[in-house]
Amino acid sequence: GGGYAEYCSVPVLQCLPWPEGYDAIRAAALPETYFTVWSNLFQIGRLTRGESVLVHGGTGGIGVTAIQLACEFGCRVYATAGSPEKCNACQELGAEAAINYREADFEDSIRLLTGGQGVNVVLDIVGAPYTMRNLRCLAMDGRLIQLAVMQGSKVEKFDLLYVMKRRLTLTGSTLRPRT
């Protein structure tokens, strides 16, 4: 937010080195997705080796980053995307399975893919219409991380008792208000 100027002046301690072989445009694209995924998936969401995650929007910037990082850290990854080509891309990035949400119900698919256990973490960018469906995709003690609300922020029907019975955690964040 607010970082659209061609030039800016900042304290050196707020700067990162560019990865070797990157130009300014490619280097500038990395922090937003990587910082967002790292802080949410691993710090707030506590995703650890051997756990599983459902990543919505697997071919967007956040989704691509989440799939790659979760795979790199030894997690099982499932993703949603809106076409067969995008689902293939998710699997090429390392997702165990990719669900075309236009052709299949992701909730039913996750139940089948996990033998009814659910995933440990759901990383969501959709928002309100997915909330209860995401919660039903979670394993006991699962964590739902809300990163965006592309289809709305106000959930019409929300069952707190379901959350309590399964000891679920619902959290979310945005990087912009941070210092």
Side-chain angles (χ1 to χ4, degrees):
Y4 301 108
E6 188 173 343
Y7 296 99
C8 65
S9 177
V10 297
V12 68
L13 293 176
Q14 293 179 354
C15 297
L16 297 170
W18 291 3
E20 191 174 323
Y22 277 55
D23 61 15
I25 293 171
R26 288 181 68 207
L30 290 176
E32 180 136 8
T33 59
Y34 277 83
F35 291 177
T36 298
V37 170
W38 183 262
S39 65
N40 282 281
L41 204 53
F42 296 98
Q43 292 177 322
I44 295 170
R46 304 177 324 276
L47 184 68
T48 59
R49 179 175 298 284
E51 287 192 316
S52 58
V53 59
L54 169 60
V55 176
H56 287 296
T59 56
I62 295 296
V64 166
T65 303
I67 291 169
Q68 291 176 323
L69 283 176
C71 287
E72 187 66 27
F73 282 85
C75 302
R76 291 184 332 276
V77 180
Y78 306 99
T80 63
S83 72
E85 296 78 22
K86 288 181 176 183
C87 286
N88 287 338
C90 291
Q91 290 182 285
E92 287 174 10
L93 290 167
E96 231 174 84
I99 303 151
N100 183 340
Y101 62 82
R102 296 181 199 278
E103 297 176 355
D105 182 289
F106 71 83
E107 188 181 342
D108 292 339
S109 297
I110 289 298
R111 193 175 303 111
L112 288 171
L113 289 164
T114 64
Q117 296 299 304
V119 294
N120 302 103
V121 176
V122 173
L123 189 63
D124 183 45
I125 59 169
V126 176
Y130 275 20
T131 303
M132 281 308 300
R133 296 173 69 200
N134 283 332
L135 293 173
R136 289 189 295 266
C137 286
L138 289 170
M140 186 69 80
D141 296 308
R143 288 91 67 199
L144 169 56
I145 303 166
Q146 200 66 53
L147 290 184
V149 288
M150 294 172 59
Q151 292 186 19
S153 63
K154 297 190 188 315
V155 179
E156 295 295 323
K157 294 185 181 186
F158 186 81
D159 186 353
L160 285 172
L161 191 56
Y162 185 84
V163 172
M164 294 164 59
K165 285 180 183 178
R166 303 202 34 89
R167 299 187 306 262
L168 303 178
T169 300
L170 170 58
T171 187
S173 77
T174 175
L175 293 179
R176 292 192 178 153
R178 294 184 185 187
T179 58

